[in-house]
Amino acid sequence: QKEVEQDPGPLSVPEGAIVSLNCTYSNSAFQYFMWYRQYSRKGPELLMYTYSSGNKEDGRFTAQVDKSSKYISLFIRDSQPSDSATYLCAMRTSGSRLTFGEGTQLTVNP
Amino acid sequence: DTAVSQTPKYLVTQMGNDKSIKCEQNLGHDTMYWYKQDSKKFLKIMFSYNNKELIINETVPNRFSPKSPDKAHLNLHINSLELGDSAVYFCASSPRALDYEQYFGPGTRLTVT
């Protein structure tokens, strides 16, 4: 069983839709949770970072962590065609390497 | 100015050959990484250097050998290339070891025929 599970999609939504991306994990020691965005033929870039449980909002993006369920989410409001990318969740314990999910490919159609 | 650069961007080679990929970062970071991303977009760490010292060495065949001449450069040499080595290899850097925010290069797409 992988430490981090993420549905690879693909996910296709109309412009303006609310998008929900999710990851589950098995290692209860994970404390740091990240979402990276990767455009086609580019390297990943950090989008959101959350420590432990709770919510974090940045513009149209909201990251949620539920440590009791070992479940993290990224919500995108008013999605735009420019949001079309692969979204990778990543997490780590204190002092460990990043463990990435498989990535979810998102397409937002105009 | 490109923060993390890699050369070459594309590499097509035959099985059994030896090849190198170079990476440079101009961010002044202490730590650099090599990741492999397979066709399913799964990103897996291979190596990490902090101030030229190897700190992460995942289960990777001995045919892969990283080298860090200084903290701004991290190269990856691959001997006796195999078909299964075909992937995109990303270099990344971070200010300190194992930082959550890592800055990735554009990737090197390696195809072994």
Side-chain angles (χ1 to χ4, degrees):
Chain A
Q1 185 192 2
K2 292 179 192 168
E3 274 192 294
V4 179
E5 299 274 0
Q6 185 176 8
D7 185 342
L11 182 61
S12 183
V13 302
E15 184 174 354
I18 297 175
V19 176
S20 172
L21 304 167
N22 311 294
C23 288
T24 59
Y25 62 93
S26 57
N27 187 349
S28 57
F30 284 140
Q31 294 179 294
Y32 301 84
F33 303 92
M34 284 69 68
W35 286 94
Y36 277 77
R37 178 175 61 195
Q38 185 177 16
Y39 290 115
S40 182
R41 306 254 166 184
K42 302 282 187 186
E45 56 180 349
L46 182 68
L47 188 62
M48 299 280 287
Y49 157 70
T50 312
Y51 171 68
S52 195
S53 283
N55 292 0
K56 188 171 186 177
E57 193 171 315
D58 184 2
R60 296 184 295 110
F61 298 88
T62 299
Q64 278 187 358
V65 175
D66 182 349
K67 289 192 75 179
S68 61
S69 303
K70 298 194 184 73
Y71 189 87
I72 71 169
S73 301
L74 177 71
F75 297 96
I76 308 174
R77 289 183 300 281
D78 187 25
S79 56
Q80 303 294 310
S82 58
D83 295 328
S84 298
T86 296
Y87 290 81
L88 302 128
C89 64
M91 46 198 81
R92 70 174 182 91
T93 66
S94 176
S96 75
R97 57 172 173 71
L98 291 184
T99 299
F100 284 86
E102 196 174 338
T104 300
Q105 185 181 338
L106 171 68
T107 301
V108 180
N109 301 300
Chain B
D1 281 346
T2 305
V4 182
S5 60
Q6 294 179 229
T7 53
K9 286 194 82 172
Y10 299 94
L11 190 51
V12 182
T13 188
Q14 291 184 327
M15 282 175 55
N17 284 349
D18 303 338
K19 290 292 178 186
S20 290
I21 308 171
K22 298 189 177 203
C23 178
E24 177 180 0
Q25 55 96 1
N26 62 7
L27 298 167
H29 289 168
D30 284 347
T31 310
M32 297 184 73
Y33 311 81
W34 277 114
Y35 285 88
K36 179 180 180 181
Q37 188 172 49
D38 61 25
S39 57
K40 291 189 174 182
K41 295 288 192 181
F42 189 51
L43 195 63
K44 195 168 186 331
I45 193 165
M46 301 172 70
F47 304 102
S48 179
Y49 274 76
N50 186 56
N51 276 319
K52 302 195 296 174
E53 180 183 340
L54 183 66
I55 59 169
I56 293 177
N57 185 359
E58 290 291 301
T59 308
V60 174
N62 290 338
R63 300 181 294 103
F64 290 80
S65 51
K67 190 166 282 188
S68 182
D70 56 62
K71 71 176 192 178
H73 295 85
L74 180 61
N75 304 323
L76 183 66
H77 188 75
I78 316 170
N79 289 325
S80 304
L81 277 154
E82 300 177 358
L83 292 175
D85 298 332
S86 295
V88 182
Y89 292 84
F90 286 101
C91 175
S93 72
S94 64
R96 292 161 300 276
L98 306 173
D99 264 344
Y100 65 87
E101 184 164 15
Q102 297 182 9
Y103 296 77
F104 284 79
T108 296
R109 189 170 295 270
L110 172 66
T111 303
V112 182
T113 61

